[in-house]
PDB file of all heavy atoms in Angstrom:
ATOM      1  N   GLY K1224     -19.684  21.129  -7.077  1.00 98.00           N
ATOM      2  CA  GLY K1224     -18.984  21.753  -8.140  1.00 98.00           C
ATOM      3  C   GLY K1224     -19.821  22.221  -9.327  1.00 98.00           C
ATOM      4  O   GLY K1224     -21.040  21.775  -9.407  1.00 98.00           O
ATOM      5  N   PHE K1225     -19.233  23.010 -10.206  1.00 98.00           N
ATOM      6  CA  PHE K1225     -19.965  23.406 -11.441  1.00 98.00           C
ATOM      7  C   PHE K1225     -18.845  23.533 -12.485  1.00 98.00           C
ATOM      8  O   PHE K1225     -17.686  23.368 -12.179  1.00 98.00           O
ATOM      9  CB  PHE K1225     -20.629  24.802 -11.227  1.00 98.00           C
ATOM     10  CG  PHE K1225     -19.723  25.899 -10.699  1.00 98.00           C
ATOM     11  CD1 PHE K1225     -19.128  26.748 -11.639  1.00 98.00           C
ATOM     12  CD2 PHE K1225     -19.514  26.042  -9.360  1.00 98.00           C
ATOM     13  CE1 PHE K1225     -18.223  27.766 -11.141  1.00 98.00           C
ATOM     14  CE2 PHE K1225     -18.675  27.053  -8.870  1.00 98.00           C
ATOM     15  CZ  PHE K1225     -18.021  27.855  -9.795  1.00 98.00           C
ATOM     16  N   THR K1226     -19.300  23.722 -13.725  1.00 97.00           N
ATOM     17  CA  THR K1226     -18.317  23.756 -14.832  1.00 97.00           C
ATOM     18  C   THR K1226     -18.395  25.059 -15.612  1.00 97.00           C
ATOM     19  O   THR K1226     -19.405  25.769 -15.600  1.00 97.00           O
ATOM     20  CB  THR K1226     -18.557  22.564 -15.813  1.00 97.00           C
ATOM     21  OG1 THR K1226     -17.452  22.489 -16.696  1.00 97.00           O
ATOM     22  CG2 THR K1226     -19.861  22.706 -16.505  1.00 97.00           C
ATOM     23  N   HIS K1246     -18.067  12.897  -7.955  1.00 98.00           N
ATOM     24  CA  HIS K1246     -18.797  14.115  -7.906  1.00 98.00           C
ATOM     25  C   HIS K1246     -19.900  14.008  -6.871  1.00 98.00           C
ATOM     26  O   HIS K1246     -20.747  13.034  -6.901  1.00 98.00           O
ATOM     27  CB  HIS K1246     -19.449  14.417  -9.307  1.00 98.00           C
ATOM     28  CG  HIS K1246     -18.400  14.405 -10.360  1.00 98.00           C
ATOM     29  ND1 HIS K1246     -17.847  15.550 -10.933  1.00 98.00           N
ATOM     30  CD2 HIS K1246     -17.835  13.337 -11.039  1.00 98.00           C
ATOM     31  CE1 HIS K1246     -17.002  15.214 -11.847  1.00 98.00           C
ATOM     32  NE2 HIS K1246     -16.958  13.912 -11.913  1.00 98.00           N
ATOM     33  N   THR K1248     -23.141  15.856  -4.880  1.00 98.00           N
ATOM     34  CA  THR K1248     -24.096  16.941  -5.028  1.00 98.00           C
ATOM     35  C   THR K1248     -25.216  16.753  -4.057  1.00 98.00           C
ATOM     36  O   THR K1248     -25.612  15.641  -3.743  1.00 98.00           O
ATOM     37  CB  THR K1248     -24.629  17.008  -6.490  1.00 98.00           C
ATOM     38  OG1 THR K1248     -25.592  18.053  -6.619  1.00 98.00           O
ATOM     39  CG2 THR K1248     -25.273  15.632  -6.879  1.00 98.00           C
ATOM     40  N   VAL K1255     -25.071  25.889  -5.465  1.00 98.00           N
ATOM     41  CA  VAL K1255     -24.733  25.215  -6.715  1.00 98.00           C
ATOM     42  C   VAL K1255     -25.792  24.142  -6.918  1.00 98.00           C
ATOM     43  O   VAL K1255     -25.648  23.002  -6.394  1.00 98.00           O
ATOM     44  CB  VAL K1255     -23.277  24.642  -6.696  1.00 98.00           C
ATOM     45  CG1 VAL K1255     -23.018  23.880  -8.025  1.00 98.00           C
ATOM     46  CG2 VAL K1255     -22.261  25.734  -6.476  1.00 98.00           C
ATOM     47  N   PRO K1256     -26.825  24.395  -7.724  1.00 97.00           N
ATOM     48  CA  PRO K1256     -27.911  23.403  -7.891  1.00 97.00           C
ATOM     49  C   PRO K1256     -27.344  22.089  -8.471  1.00 97.00           C
ATOM     50  O   PRO K1256     -26.351  22.034  -9.154  1.00 97.00           O
ATOM     51  CB  PRO K1256     -28.809  24.047  -8.866  1.00 97.00           C
ATOM     52  CG  PRO K1256     -28.566  25.525  -8.725  1.00 97.00           C
ATOM     53  CD  PRO K1256     -27.113  25.662  -8.392  1.00 97.00           C
ATOM     54  N   ARG K1257     -28.076  21.065  -8.141  1.00 97.00           N
ATOM     55  CA  ARG K1257     -27.656  19.645  -8.503  1.00 97.00           C
ATOM     56  C   ARG K1257     -27.427  19.609  -9.986  1.00 97.00           C
ATOM     57  O   ARG K1257     -26.510  18.988 -10.432  1.00 97.00           O
ATOM     58  CB  ARG K1257     -28.829  18.689  -8.187  1.00 97.00           C
ATOM     59  CG  ARG K1257     -28.619  17.267  -8.676  1.00 97.00           C
ATOM     60  CD  ARG K1257     -29.834  16.426  -8.167  1.00 97.00           C
ATOM     61  NE  ARG K1257     -29.787  15.029  -8.687  1.00 97.00           N
ATOM     62  CZ  ARG K1257     -30.297  14.692  -9.891  1.00 97.00           C
ATOM     63  NH1 ARG K1257     -30.910  15.549 -10.594  1.00 97.00           N
ATOM     64  NH2 ARG K1257     -30.226  13.450 -10.226  1.00 97.00           N
ATOM     65  N   ARG K1258     -28.216  20.287 -10.807  1.00 97.00           N
ATOM     66  CA  ARG K1258     -28.037  20.159 -12.299  1.00 97.00           C
ATOM     67  C   ARG K1258     -26.690  20.708 -12.660  1.00 97.00           C
ATOM     68  O   ARG K1258     -26.076  20.226 -13.704  1.00 97.00           O
ATOM     69  CB  ARG K1258     -29.184  20.921 -13.019  1.00 97.00           C
ATOM     70  CG  ARG K1258     -29.194  22.423 -12.843  1.00 97.00           C
ATOM     71  CD  ARG K1258     -30.309  23.104 -13.558  1.00 97.00           C
ATOM     72  NE  ARG K1258     -30.331  24.584 -13.312  1.00 97.00           N
ATOM     73  CZ  ARG K1258     -30.966  25.101 -12.271  1.00 97.00           C
ATOM     74  NH1 ARG K1258     -31.622  24.329 -11.446  1.00 97.00           N
ATOM     75  NH2 ARG K1258     -30.923  26.434 -12.157  1.00 97.00           N
ATOM     76  N   ASP K1259     -26.200  21.702 -12.012  1.00 98.00           N
ATOM     77  CA  ASP K1259     -24.854  22.260 -12.359  1.00 98.00           C
ATOM     78  C   ASP K1259     -23.755  21.340 -12.030  1.00 98.00           C
ATOM     79  O   ASP K1259     -22.794  21.203 -12.768  1.00 98.00           O
ATOM     80  CB  ASP K1259     -24.687  23.614 -11.658  1.00 98.00           C
ATOM     81  CG  ASP K1259     -25.621  24.716 -12.158  1.00 98.00           C
ATOM     82  OD1 ASP K1259     -26.123  24.534 -13.295  1.00 98.00           O
ATOM     83  OD2 ASP K1259     -25.731  25.720 -11.455  1.00 98.00           O
ATOM     84  N   SER K1260     -23.862  20.573 -10.921  1.00 98.00           N
ATOM     85  CA  SER K1260     -22.902  19.625 -10.522  1.00 98.00           C
ATOM     86  C   SER K1260     -22.907  18.458 -11.509  1.00 98.00           C
ATOM     87  O   SER K1260     -21.837  17.845 -11.861  1.00 98.00           O
ATOM     88  CB  SER K1260     -23.109  19.123  -9.122  1.00 98.00           C
ATOM     89  OG  SER K1260     -22.804  20.102  -8.159  1.00 98.00           O
ATOM     90  N   LEU K1261     -24.124  18.053 -12.030  1.00 98.00           N
ATOM     91  CA  LEU K1261     -24.181  16.973 -12.910  1.00 98.00           C
ATOM     92  C   LEU K1261     -23.662  17.347 -14.315  1.00 98.00           C
ATOM     93  O   LEU K1261     -23.119  16.494 -15.063  1.00 98.00           O
ATOM     94  CB  LEU K1261     -25.664  16.519 -13.084  1.00 98.00           C
ATOM     95  CG  LEU K1261     -26.272  15.875 -11.782  1.00 98.00           C
ATOM     96  CD1 LEU K1261     -27.673  15.383 -12.078  1.00 98.00           C
ATOM     97  CD2 LEU K1261     -25.392  14.706 -11.277  1.00 98.00           C
ATOM     98  N   LEU K1262     -23.761  18.634 -14.649  1.00 97.00           N
ATOM     99  CA  LEU K1262     -23.114  19.126 -15.909  1.00 97.00           C
ATOM    100  C   LEU K1262     -21.569  18.939 -15.812  1.00 97.00           C
ATOM    101  O   LEU K1262     -20.957  18.561 -16.757  1.00 97.00           O
ATOM    102  CB  LEU K1262     -23.459  20.557 -16.188  1.00 97.00           C
ATOM    103  CG  LEU K1262     -24.922  20.822 -16.724  1.00 97.00           C
ATOM    104  CD1 LEU K1262     -25.132  22.269 -16.815  1.00 97.00           C
ATOM    105  CD2 LEU K1262     -25.056  20.151 -18.138  1.00 97.00           C
ATOM    106  N   LEU K1263     -21.041  19.244 -14.638  1.00 98.00           N
ATOM    107  CA  LEU K1263     -19.628  18.989 -14.397  1.00 98.00           C
ATOM    108  C   LEU K1263     -19.266  17.579 -14.555  1.00 98.00           C
ATOM    109  O   LEU K1263     -18.342  17.170 -15.217  1.00 98.00           O
ATOM    110  CB  LEU K1263     -19.183  19.550 -13.031  1.00 98.00           C
ATOM    111  CG  LEU K1263     -17.749  19.267 -12.595  1.00 98.00           C
ATOM    112  CD1 LEU K1263     -16.719  19.842 -13.617  1.00 98.00           C
ATOM    113  CD2 LEU K1263     -17.529  19.809 -11.210  1.00 98.00           C
ATOM    114  N   ALA K1264     -20.060  16.648 -13.901  1.00 98.00           N
ATOM    115  CA  ALA K1264     -19.807  15.214 -13.962  1.00 98.00           C
ATOM    116  C   ALA K1264     -19.854  14.720 -15.403  1.00 98.00           C
ATOM    117  O   ALA K1264     -19.105  13.797 -15.746  1.00 98.00           O
ATOM    118  CB  ALA K1264     -20.861  14.496 -13.100  1.00 98.00           C
ATOM    119  N   ASP K1265     -20.722  15.347 -16.205  1.00 98.00           N
ATOM    120  CA  ASP K1265     -20.912  14.903 -17.588  1.00 98.00           C
ATOM    121  C   ASP K1265     -19.630  15.227 -18.471  1.00 98.00           C
ATOM    122  O   ASP K1265     -19.534  14.781 -19.615  1.00 98.00           O
ATOM    123  CB  ASP K1265     -22.109  15.478 -18.207  1.00 98.00           C
ATOM    124  CG  ASP K1265     -22.529  14.798 -19.511  1.00 98.00           C
ATOM    125  OD1 ASP K1265     -22.643  13.528 -19.472  1.00 98.00           O
ATOM    126  OD2 ASP K1265     -22.738  15.490 -20.498  1.00 98.00           O
ATOM    127  N   ARG K1266     -18.729  16.045 -17.921  1.00 97.00           N
ATOM    128  CA  ARG K1266     -17.498  16.343 -18.609  1.00 97.00           C
ATOM    129  C   ARG K1266     -16.599  15.103 -18.637  1.00 97.00           C
ATOM    130  O   ARG K1266     -15.528  15.086 -19.290  1.00 97.00           O
ATOM    131  CB  ARG K1266     -16.737  17.528 -17.962  1.00 97.00           C
ATOM    132  CG  ARG K1266     -17.490  18.868 -17.989  1.00 97.00           C
ATOM    133  CD  ARG K1266     -17.535  19.483 -19.340  1.00 97.00           C
ATOM    134  NE  ARG K1266     -17.793  20.887 -19.252  1.00 97.00           N
ATOM    135  CZ  ARG K1266     -18.019  21.679 -20.328  1.00 97.00           C
ATOM    136  NH1 ARG K1266     -17.947  21.185 -21.572  1.00 97.00           N
ATOM    137  NH2 ARG K1266     -18.290  22.921 -20.220  1.00 97.00           N
ATOM    138  N   PHE K1267     -16.817  14.121 -17.769  1.00 98.00           N
ATOM    139  CA  PHE K1267     -15.937  13.027 -17.531  1.00 98.00           C
ATOM    140  C   PHE K1267     -16.510  11.736 -18.101  1.00 98.00           C
ATOM    141  O   PHE K1267     -17.736  11.559 -18.228  1.00 98.00           O
ATOM    142  CB  PHE K1267     -15.694  12.831 -16.026  1.00 98.00           C
ATOM    143  CG  PHE K1267     -14.985  13.908 -15.350  1.00 98.00           C
ATOM    144  CD1 PHE K1267     -15.618  15.176 -15.131  1.00 98.00           C
ATOM    145  CD2 PHE K1267     -13.624  13.874 -15.036  1.00 98.00           C
ATOM    146  CE1 PHE K1267     -15.000  16.187 -14.538  1.00 98.00           C
ATOM    147  CE2 PHE K1267     -12.931  14.963 -14.433  1.00 98.00           C
ATOM    148  CZ  PHE K1267     -13.612  16.119 -14.230  1.00 98.00           C
ATOM    149  N   PRO K1270     -17.770   9.089 -14.461  1.00 97.00           N
ATOM    150  CA  PRO K1270     -17.824   9.746 -13.105  1.00 97.00           C
ATOM    151  C   PRO K1270     -18.602   8.861 -12.143  1.00 97.00           C
ATOM    152  O   PRO K1270     -19.579   8.182 -12.473  1.00 97.00           O
ATOM    153  CB  PRO K1270     -18.558  11.016 -13.378  1.00 97.00           C
ATOM    154  CG  PRO K1270     -19.459  10.691 -14.521  1.00 97.00           C
ATOM    155  CD  PRO K1270     -18.719   9.728 -15.412  1.00 97.00           C
ATOM    156  N   VAL K1272     -21.050   9.452  -9.225  1.00 98.00           N
ATOM    157  CA  VAL K1272     -21.846  10.517  -8.687  1.00 98.00           C
ATOM    158  C   VAL K1272     -22.500  10.107  -7.361  1.00 98.00           C
ATOM    159  O   VAL K1272     -23.137   9.071  -7.319  1.00 98.00           O
ATOM    160  CB  VAL K1272     -22.899  10.939  -9.701  1.00 98.00           C
ATOM    161  CG1 VAL K1272     -23.834  12.071  -9.156  1.00 98.00           C
ATOM    162  CG2 VAL K1272     -22.324  11.405 -11.010  1.00 98.00           C
ATOM    163  N   ILE K1273     -22.274  10.884  -6.365  1.00 98.00           N
ATOM    164  CA  ILE K1273     -22.855  10.638  -5.031  1.00 98.00           C
ATOM    165  C   ILE K1273     -23.842  11.734  -4.706  1.00 98.00           C
ATOM    166  O   ILE K1273     -23.435  12.926  -4.648  1.00 98.00           O
ATOM    167  CB  ILE K1273     -21.750  10.534  -3.941  1.00 98.00           C
ATOM    168  CG1 ILE K1273     -20.713   9.460  -4.296  1.00 98.00           C
ATOM    169  CG2 ILE K1273     -22.376  10.282  -2.558  1.00 98.00           C
ATOM    170  CD1 ILE K1273     -19.513   9.478  -3.362  1.00 98.00           C
ATOM    171  N   GLU K1274     -25.083  11.341  -4.504  1.00 97.00           N
ATOM    172  CA  GLU K1274     -26.125  12.362  -4.155  1.00 97.00           C
ATOM    173  C   GLU K1274     -26.444  12.277  -2.699  1.00 97.00           C
ATOM    174  O   GLU K1274     -26.476  11.145  -2.125  1.00 97.00           O
ATOM    175  CB  GLU K1274     -27.318  12.173  -5.061  1.00 97.00           C
ATOM    176  CG  GLU K1274     -27.114  12.446  -6.498  1.00 97.00           C
ATOM    177  CD  GLU K1274     -28.394  12.421  -7.275  1.00 97.00           C
ATOM    178  OE1 GLU K1274     -29.494  12.353  -6.665  1.00 97.00           O
ATOM    179  OE2 GLU K1274     -28.308  12.511  -8.518  1.00 97.00           O
ATOM    180  N   ALA K1320     -23.215   8.452 -17.851  1.00 40.00           N
ATOM    181  CA  ALA K1320     -23.223   9.286 -16.703  1.00 40.00           C
ATOM    182  C   ALA K1320     -22.546   8.586 -15.521  1.00 40.00           C
ATOM    183  O   ALA K1320     -22.259   9.264 -14.466  1.00 40.00           O
ATOM    184  CB  ALA K1320     -24.655   9.705 -16.320  1.00 40.00           C
ATOM    185  N   VAL K1323     -24.515   6.214  -9.860  1.00 46.00           N
ATOM    186  CA  VAL K1323     -25.026   7.226  -8.920  1.00 46.00           C
ATOM    187  C   VAL K1323     -25.362   6.553  -7.604  1.00 46.00           C
ATOM    188  O   VAL K1323     -26.096   5.639  -7.550  1.00 46.00           O
ATOM    189  CB  VAL K1323     -26.291   7.924  -9.477  1.00 46.00           C
ATOM    190  CG1 VAL K1323     -26.791   8.900  -8.515  1.00 46.00           C
ATOM    191  CG2 VAL K1323     -25.979   8.540 -10.818  1.00 46.00           C
TER     192      VAL K1323
END
Side-chain angles (χ1 to χ4, degrees):
F1225 55 93
T1226 188
H1246 306 261
T1248 180
V1255 178
R1257 174 179 176 273
R1258 65 178 178 275
D1259 291 344
S1260 290
L1261 294 182
L1262 284 174
L1263 173 59
D1265 195 51
R1266 298 287 200 186
F1267 295 76
V1272 178
I1273 302 172
E1274 295 189 7
V1323 176

